[in-house]
Amino acid sequence: NECIELKYDMQSTAITMPKDMFGMHERTSHILQAVRDKAGNDALHKSDQKRQGLDGMDLELGLELKLPRSVREISDEGAALNHCVGGYADRHANGELTIMFLRTLSHPETPYYTMEVANDLHIVQCRGFRNNNANNPKTEEIIEFERRYTEYLKALKAERKKAKETEKKRMQKAKAAA
């Protein structure tokens, strides 16, 4: 299936019956993952335009919210925190939703919490290790961060709406003048 997806010549015995089947499978798996990562990253960078202003810091709480730089980072986040965010990577890359990484300022590269933000600018979920099961509940710090970020998203939504209305009026004036 990987060879078919990579459009290899399936009539060639070098492809269908290699001397080292395991080695060939490893190679095709790595190639295919690189192709998928590139396609996902290209889509991610296009969809990042509408995500401007979603990242930021709360110095008082010592937390930073940042966008993933690649689809691979989203998968790695899920593996590190033992939750399912890796399954959201394609939808994030395609702009259907936004995945954000919540980090402590003291350890900005260490996965801490993962947040999903809907395109209409509200928090869908914010999960830590193992989805914050009974043995690992959300801290007051995270609950407060979610409250503050919700207020920030409301303000950002209003700002974007106002900018859109201003642009619409400008276009109408330009159209009327022409």
Side-chain angles (χ1 to χ4, degrees), residues 57-172:
M57 291 184 198
D58 186 318
L59 297 175
E60 185 180 334
L61 293 175
L63 298 171
E64 175 183 19
L65 194 60
K66 58 189 199 175
L67 288 164
R69 296 178 301 255
S70 69
V71 291
R72 175 63 64 152
E73 263 192 344
I74 298 171
S75 298
D76 292 347
E77 177 89 353
L81 292 177
N82 202 5
H83 61 43
C84 65
V85 75
Y88 291 69
D90 287 341
R91 288 184 282 164
H92 173 84
N94 293 327
E96 297 169 35
L97 52 84
T98 297
I99 298 298
M100 306 284 291
F101 298 153
L102 187 56
R103 304 288 192 249
T104 62
L105 292 176
S106 58
H107 297 94
E109 297 304 317
T110 303
Y112 185 48
Y113 275 76
T114 311
M115 184 180 287
E116 177 188 351
V117 177
N119 287 338
D120 66 352
L121 299 181
H122 74 273
I123 298 171
V124 176
Q125 58 183 325
C126 184
R127 306 285 187 207
F129 185 72
R130 290 190 173 164
N131 288 319
N132 301 105
N133 61 20
N135 296 327
N136 183 34
K138 281 185 187 177
T139 64
E140 289 299 319
E141 157 193 78
I142 297 300
I143 293 167
E144 177 61 16
F145 182 85
E146 287 178 293
R147 187 194 66 71
R148 291 179 185 189
Y149 193 65
T150 296
E151 291 302 314
Y152 171 77
L153 289 175
K154 285 179 186 175
L156 183 61
K157 187 175 185 175
E159 181 183 305
R160 286 182 178 181
K161 182 179 180 182
K162 185 177 179 180
K164 195 174 191 178
E165 289 170 358
T166 301
E167 180 61 18
K168 185 178 178 181
K169 287 178 185 176
R170 188 187 70 73
M171 294 298 285
Q172 287 172 343

